[in-house]
Amino acid sequence: MMKNKYIAFALFVVLVIAFWNLFEYLFSTFITGNVYQFSAGNDLGFPLAVAAVMGYLLFLHKKSK
């Protein structure tokens, strides 16, 4: 586990966006047979929102005892 939770959060967000787009590319190319088209809203905005919420809950949220 990383000591700095903000670096871990940022790394998590970047990796989620990267893997999201990789899997979207693989799905559209090999499963559906379509051409992959990048759009900022669907391929950057939505994964960013999902990763930010998940990352906050996993890394930045204070745990109550």
Side-chain angles (χ1 to χ4, degrees):
M1 189 75 175
M2 297 182 79
K3 297 287 182 187
N4 191 340
K5 61 184 177 180
Y6 297 108
I7 293 175
F9 172 75
L11 186 61
F12 178 79
V13 169
V14 168
L15 288 175
V16 166
I17 292 172
F19 279 111
W20 187 294
N21 283 299
L22 174 67
F23 292 139
E24 182 73 27
Y25 171 77
L26 292 174
F27 179 78
S28 65
T29 303
F30 296 113
I31 304 297
T32 63
N34 295 333
V35 176
Y36 175 71
Q37 292 183 343
F38 180 82
S39 66
N42 289 333
D43 296 324
L44 207 59
F46 185 66
L48 178 66
V50 171
V53 171
M54 286 176 44
Y56 174 77
L57 292 174
L58 291 173
F59 297 106
L60 300 178
H61 185 68
K62 293 188 182 206
K63 296 165 180 59
S64 62
K65 291 184 179 184

